Amino acid sequence: MSQIEDIPQPPASSQAEGTPRPPSSSLAIPTCETVRQKRKIAELEEKLQELESGQAAKRRETNYYILKGRAIRRIVSLFDSIEDLICENDRRCDNDNDNDNDNDNDNDNDYTLEQDRLQVGYVALNNALPWFHRRASDMEYDDYAHMLKQLRQGADSARGDDTSKLKSLVPDWVNREFKPNLLMDPEDKYNRGFVNDESGRLLCPAELNWNNPIVRAGIRDRTDGYVVTEMSWPAFLYEGYTTDLNNLEKGLFKSKLLVQAFKAIFTSPSSAKEVSGGGDGADVIENNRRAKSIFSGKKVKTHVAQIIKMRKVSPRSIAYVACQLRFSLSSVTSWRSVDGDFDYVQFWGNIVDFFEKAPGRTARSSTERLLAWWTRYRKCSEQVFAAELSETAKANMSVNALAKQRAQIEDALLDSE
């Protein structure tokens, strides 16, 4: 029997009554219209549920990237874009392949200081986000671009939050420590910078004496020899805010104010109050352990260092805090990379290079001890154009002077060997 013969046919009486027979091309079995509509509604509801589920997953993914991106400015790079870090790593991979093919390794170390910073930044990025390299390699371009956008949003948002936080905290710390006659206003930045004696003292280059009225006038008037740029270590970086000009490395990056700013950003503003003059009480890890033991069984608010899984203090985290603190002490009201004669990008780079580009064994040993100290204790009017500086003025600035001193120590050590 054929398949057609198996299909039920309409009753013969229907044709006799004049009811038209279905077209011969349709083999549809009559079904109740209500049932058909219910099936269509069920299908649409299922599709809607799948769509909503996909959107929810997309939102969760977006929020995840934004949250993870908050570590980037703080411990990877304050100013470099994620794309620049990736491009530098890709460029080096291409160079390595070319060198392998040519059997020529002469250019292995032919990289600029800026390129080395970028590459170390890419390594730091993957230490902060261990999944990044693999995921970025496997993604379609649109998903990859979306991920970078959300990471960038999280990074910039965190930097803005830290800037706002320090804006009110730093004046309170300065007022408590120095007890000036004219208190710094936590809400008003116009009375900060070099127009204010206390913030001016902290911003003053290490090689200059703020107590000298000639120096104060020279800085405020921006005369040659007194122009403040990123090529001078500011006093607020030094322990006790004083400098030994014969040993510019002594006490550098050990100031109470710097430790307070670090703790306010990476732990909590309240923890910054525990810092003593020597930096005691700054240990993030130890504080965290104490909190867990004291509040065992109670819910304790997670701090930034825990969220970004920060195990120890890094050079780039110190550089980040130093830039934030310097901006908070200045009279500039909105974040920018250049403040008159002062370039924050280069200032950040100077601090990173101090640690990551130590000139020899003695300098490396010194920076390692300093980082160990940190990890242990972790427990004027706005100018548009920068002034032209003489070579003599540049040479006398503490960044260059310290570099010269470090090189002399290494040369002396080599000569003695």
Side-chain angles (χ1 to χ4, degrees):
M1 183 179 293
S2 67
Q3 290 181 343
I4 296 179
E5 292 174 345
D6 291 338
I7 298 175
Q9 300 295 325
S13 59
S14 64
Q15 189 174 6
E17 294 172 358
T19 303
R21 184 186 292 249
S24 59
S25 60
S26 173
L27 302 178
I29 301 175
T31 307
C32 177
E33 184 175 356
T34 302
V35 174
R36 296 200 305 272
Q37 294 301 326
K38 285 182 178 179
R39 290 172 182 165
K40 290 180 180 179
I41 291 172
E43 290 176 1
L44 291 173
E45 287 178 342
E46 185 177 350
K47 290 179 180 179
L48 179 61
Q49 187 175 5
E50 291 177 357
L51 182 61
E52 290 177 343
S53 176
Q55 289 176 341
K58 193 71 173 179
R59 284 195 296 270
R60 286 194 298 270
E61 183 182 74
T62 295
N63 292 337
Y64 175 81
Y65 290 145
I66 291 175
L67 177 63
K68 294 302 180 181
R70 293 180 68 84
I72 293 174
R73 296 284 172 245
R74 290 163 167 162
I75 62 176
V76 176
S77 179
L78 178 52
F79 296 103
D80 297 314
S81 69
I82 306 173
E83 290 86 345
D84 286 344
L85 302 179
I86 296 170
C87 286
E88 177 59 25
N89 187 71
D90 288 348
R91 189 180 68 83
R92 294 193 180 212
C93 288
D94 292 338
N95 286 349
D96 289 345
N97 290 335
D98 291 342
N99 289 337
D100 290 341
N101 293 333
D102 298 340
N103 295 320
D104 178 12
N105 295 319
D106 292 340
N107 296 324
D108 280 355
N109 298 316
D110 190 19
Y111 299 115
T112 67
L113 202 58
E114 291 76 13
Q115 290 169 341
D116 282 341
R117 276 195 221 118
L118 287 172
Q119 185 59 27
V120 174
Y122 186 76
V123 174
L125 175 65
N126 283 278
N127 288 336
L129 310 178
W131 46 264
F132 178 83
H133 184 80
R134 173 185 53 77
R135 192 172 297 188
S137 301
D138 295 341
M139 280 180 163
E140 295 294 333
Y141 181 78
D142 288 345
D143 293 334
Y144 166 78
H146 172 76
M147 178 182 69
L148 294 189
K149 179 181 179 182
Q150 302 310 318
L151 288 173
R152 186 164 53 248
Q153 179 180 335
D156 293 339
S157 175
R159 191 219 67 217
D161 290 345
D162 293 337
T163 301
S164 298
K165 181 186 296 183
L166 291 186
K167 177 184 176 182
S168 58
L169 288 174
V170 170
D172 180 58
W173 299 335
V174 172
N175 291 338
R176 289 174 181 272
E177 183 167 359
F178 296 99
K179 298 177 175 58
N181 293 326
L182 179 62
L183 297 177
M184 290 179 63
D185 187 346
E187 302 301 325
D188 181 14
K189 289 203 70 181
Y190 290 105
N191 70 341
R192 304 185 195 182
F194 293 109
V195 299
N196 181 291
D197 276 343
E198 298 309 326
S199 57
R201 184 189 313 280
L202 293 167
L203 293 170
C204 182
E207 64 272 19
L208 300 177
N209 181 5
W210 180 258
N211 293 324
N212 186 333
I214 296 176
V215 170
R216 291 200 299 272
I219 289 176
R220 287 165 176 165
D221 294 338
R222 302 171 65 235
T223 57
D224 189 30
Y226 300 101
V227 175
V228 179
T229 77
E230 70 284 349
M231 295 308 296
S232 292
W233 298 121
F236 73 76
L237 293 177
Y238 282 89
E239 185 176 12
Y241 315 112
T242 58
T243 312
D244 180 354
L245 294 180
N246 295 317
N247 184 5
L248 288 167
E249 194 167 353
K250 182 180 179 181
L252 184 60
F253 303 118
K254 282 190 172 183
S255 79
K256 176 182 177 180
L257 206 58
L258 187 63
V259 173
Q260 284 180 301
F262 189 97
K263 293 193 68 176
I265 289 174
F266 288 102
T267 55
S268 67
S270 60
S271 68
K273 297 178 181 178
E274 303 168 9
V275 180
S276 68
D280 293 340
D283 189 344
V284 171
I285 296 176
E286 187 58 34
N287 286 348
N288 183 37
R289 289 173 181 164
R290 266 204 311 268
K292 286 184 176 180
S293 61
I294 293 173
F295 297 102
S296 180
K298 299 180 182 179
K299 187 175 181 180
V300 181
K301 186 176 180 180
T302 305
H303 55 60
V304 169
Q306 290 174 301
I307 293 173
I308 65 177
K309 295 180 171 56
M310 186 177 185
R311 301 288 184 262
K312 59 183 180 179
V313 178
S314 67
R316 293 174 180 238
S317 63
I318 295 174
Y320 173 80
V321 174
C323 287
Q324 287 279 12
L325 180 55
R326 205 273 175 190
F327 177 80
S328 183
L329 289 167
S330 76
S331 60
V332 178
T333 57
S334 59
W335 180 265
R336 60 184 62 179
S337 59
V338 177
D339 170 16
D341 302 302
F342 195 93
D343 188 332
Y344 280 95
V345 178
Q346 187 59 47
F347 180 59
W348 180 87
N350 288 340
I351 298 175
V352 170
D353 292 342
F354 173 85
F355 289 96
E356 295 180 355
K357 290 294 182 180
R361 287 181 299 173
T362 302
R364 281 196 297 273
S365 176
S366 177
T367 55
E368 287 169 2
R369 287 195 301 270
L370 178 57
L371 287 174
W373 180 91
W374 265 98
T375 297
R376 184 172 67 253
Y377 288 121
R378 181 177 78 154
K379 308 191 202 186
C380 135
S381 62
E382 303 175 13
Q383 301 291 338
V384 178
F385 301 104
E388 291 294 329
L389 303 178
S390 66
E391 292 303 317
T392 302
K394 292 179 182 178
N396 290 331
M397 290 179 172
S398 48
V399 169
N400 289 327
L402 173 54
K404 183 177 180 180
Q405 289 176 1
R406 297 175 92 190
Q408 289 172 342
I409 292 174
E410 298 300 330
D411 290 342
L413 183 61
L414 289 174
D415 292 341
S416 65
E417 294 176 348

